Amino acid sequence: VAKVIADSLSYEVLCLLRDHGPLSRAELADRLAIPRARLLGELTRLAGAGRVIEAGPAASRGGRRSTLIELDAQLRLGAVDLGATSVRVEVVNGRLEMIDAVEEPIDVRLGPRPVLGRIGEMLGKLAAQGSHTRLDGIGLGLPGPVRFEAGVPVSPPLMPGWDGFGVRELLAHEQGCPVVVDNDVNIMAIGEGYSGVARSVPDFLFVKLGTGIGCGVHLVGEVHRGKDGSAGDIGHIQVEPTGPVCACGNVGCLEAVFGGAALARDALAAARTGRSPWLARRLVEIGAVDARHVGEAAAAGDPTAMALIRDGGRRLGTVLAGLVSFANPSMIVIGGGLAQLGHRLLAEVRAAVYGRSLPLATGNLPIVLSELGDRAGVIGAAKLASDVVFRQA
Ligand SMILES: [Zn+2]
């Protein structure tokens, strides 16, 4: 029992220093509500383990001056946000502040060994640029369900060859540090809850609108992952019984009707048939149109593009209304590439959610865009990595 208490105390000390920066010994003892002597023993141990350092005298609070404690400046975490077509790799310090970053296109369908090998090279490149000499831990988000405890992807539809692959084991072996693996939407939710628009909001839903659609279910201060890691996989909820066939093999999934891939398909059809003169012109000019152009066309007043966003937003909103009734969140955050459709989309989603949910659940329910944008994922991955490293301190 004593060991457990000691472990959780060092974890709490390190989290306080991560979240608040340097704190005096007196402040730490107050916040943790423990005797000074006990704290001093713990700090000595953490200093010996290379986790904290003394940072000079604290401003006096009257009486004896206290010493400032901060996280060791050499602490380094790797944070990786792997998408279906791109990967962002950051190295951050113990306070999760970015030291250096690199982002490049990647095809996740190449399989785990080539893709993880490339991530290793990117970390090596950052090391060569001086970001770190060694990593204390790594957090990695993958575009599919992950069995969290094992660090293993489970039947990810977009990732052939990854099912059951020991991602955490391989990366931990190659980088020589603890590794934590989670779903990409979950890490975005964790990032947004840590330092984005949902910070200090314990119950919220984070909706990622990218090529596909997923939802981070953040309840009671934690991401809810479900038994196999597929909680929040809302892209495959049926919204159109006679609708288009989805990549998953079912018919009329939300993702098959609205989402980056679906919108690109609809944009192309609208351009080819001339239903949207704006998109047709664009298709002639650059040879292709996608979801991004739907946003531009709508901003230019193109009625067909506006209708695509309106219909998609309504369908998404209808699904979210069901989730609101189920989970009673205090906020919905919308992020991912399609979030750039912005306020037009937001207005539709709001109308559908507020119109369909019971007033008690939506009386004070902000539906807002992500604040962290494309950094939400890496911040969440870094937060997860720090939790693992601090628990082992
Ligand atoms: Zn589907």
Side-chain angles (χ1 to χ4, degrees), residues 261-299:
L263 213 45
R265 173 200 66 207
D266 293 346
L268 191 60
R272 284 196 175 136
T273 57
R275 262 186 302 122
S276 162
W278 196 99
L279 289 170
R281 228 174 17 252
R282 203 78 189 147
L283 182 60
V284 170
E285 283 164 14
I286 59 174
V289 288
D290 60 25
R292 199 176 49 237
H293 301 117
V294 176
E296 291 172 12

Side-chain angles (χ1 to χ4, degrees), residues 235-236 246-250 253 255:
H236 302 286
C246 180
C248 75
N250 288 331
C253 297
E255 191 168 299

Side-chain angles (χ1 to χ4, degrees), residues 63-257:
R64 197 151 57 96
R65 286 198 125 192
S66 186
T67 302
L68 270 183
I69 303 295
E70 66 182 9
L71 288 175
D72 191 299
Q74 299 308 313
L75 248 168
R76 289 292 182 273
L77 303 165
V80 185
D81 185 2
L82 174 61
T85 57
S86 70
V87 59
R88 181 175 177 86
V89 177
E90 284 194 11
V91 171
V92 305
N93 64 15
R95 297 208 59 204
L96 314 190
E97 294 161 336
M98 186 174 81
I99 305 291
D100 202 354
V102 55
E103 186 165 353
E104 52 182 60
I106 203 161
D107 186 352
V108 78
R109 292 170 302 181
L110 291 172
R113 284 183 191 281
V115 170
L116 294 174
R118 187 64 203 141
I119 289 170
E121 287 166 14
M122 292 167 81
L123 286 168
K125 180 180 168 191
L126 293 176
Q129 288 171 196
S131 70
H132 63 286
T133 49
R134 65 180 191 88
L135 292 172
D136 296 283
I138 296 175
L140 164 68
L142 299 177
V146 172
R147 195 170 290 130
F148 185 69
E149 310 304 330
V152 163
V154 192
S155 326
L158 300 175
M159 304 170 69
W162 290 75
D163 184 24
F165 188 87
V167 172
R168 184 177 69 193
E169 220 170 301
L170 181 77
L171 211 52
H173 177 73
E174 287 188 346
Q175 300 293 327
C177 65
V179 173
V180 56
V181 184
D182 202 351
N183 165 263
D184 62 341
V185 187
N186 287 346
I187 61 168
M188 292 175 88
I190 291 166
E192 209 68 50
Y194 181 72
S195 65
V197 68
R199 63 187 161 274
S200 71
V201 177
D203 301 299
F204 69 93
L205 302 177
F206 179 92
V207 182
K208 180 188 181 186
L209 299 178
T211 308
I213 298 179
C215 179
V217 184
H218 200 281
L219 298 175
V220 211
E222 297 272 353
V223 162
H224 171 75
R225 300 183 173 88
K227 179 172 79 66
D228 295 314
S230 67
D233 208 354
I234 64 168
H236 302 286
I237 291 177
Q238 191 182 55
V239 295
E240 191 66 65
T242 57
V245 175
C246 180
C248 75
N250 288 331
V251 168
C253 297
L254 175 61
E255 191 168 299
V257 174

